[in-house]
Amino acid sequence: MDMDTFRSVLTEVLREELGVGELPLGGRWQGGELILKPGKEGTADKRLPIETFFHKVVMIRDKLRVLEQRINGHAALSDEDKVAMQQYVTACYGSLTTFNVLFADPVRQGFRGASGKED
């Protein structure tokens, strides 16, 4: 096996194990645009492709999952510390459930807070 093939296989395995990587945007949003309208008169709207925004949401989700794994696997943290830190990560997930509407499969790919439900 050459080095490029090895890297490709390793990357795929890590993405699967950590639950990170590319995710499909919900069909109704493809090609869409996010428009932020300021409340101040005379200031311009901010527009960006919804795919760009969705990619950033997915990156946050992926980084939270990696943080979770690192907390759970950290040898120097006590179980109590791990639980305390995990509660903050879960609270972050709960704050992000609003964005589940963007995921093609929000139940499997989206955010879940402490209640285990999406918003």
Side-chain angles (χ1 to χ4, degrees), residues 74-86:
H74 200 289
L77 292 173
S78 70
D79 286 344
E80 291 172 357
D81 290 337
K82 289 178 185 180
V83 168
M85 290 180 157
Q86 183 62 43

Side-chain angles (χ1 to χ4, degrees), residues 2-117:
D2 67 8
M3 191 56 111
D4 288 335
T5 304
F6 176 74
R7 281 191 179 119
S8 177
V9 169
L10 181 60
T11 300
E12 186 63 30
V13 168
L14 289 173
R15 283 185 176 160
E16 284 180 23
E17 288 301 312
L18 295 175
V20 299
E22 297 293 318
L23 289 175
L25 177 65
R28 74 184 220 185
W29 305 109
Q30 292 175 4
E33 183 177 47
L34 180 67
I35 303 168
L36 300 172
K37 292 186 169 225
K40 187 175 181 183
E41 193 71 32
T43 54
D45 295 347
K46 171 71 175 173
R47 296 171 173 264
L48 68 144
I50 198 107
E51 287 88 353
T52 302
F53 180 74
F54 180 69
H55 177 71
K56 292 180 184 296
V57 170
V58 170
M59 287 184 349
I60 291 169
R61 186 198 77 134
D62 291 349
K63 288 175 182 176
L64 281 171
R65 287 187 171 178
V66 171
L67 178 61
E68 247 180 327
Q69 293 292 321
R70 295 198 63 181
I71 289 169
N72 290 333
H74 200 289
L77 292 173
S78 70
D79 286 344
E80 291 172 357
D81 290 337
K82 289 178 185 180
V83 168
M85 290 180 157
Q86 183 62 43
Q87 288 175 340
Y88 285 107
V89 173
T90 301
C92 290
Y93 283 137
S95 297
L96 295 166
T97 57
T98 300
F99 301 115
N100 283 352
V101 68
L102 298 173
F103 289 90
D105 185 357
V107 174
R108 290 185 51 233
Q109 300 165 340
F111 299 100
R112 271 182 235 106
S115 70
K117 298 185 230 171

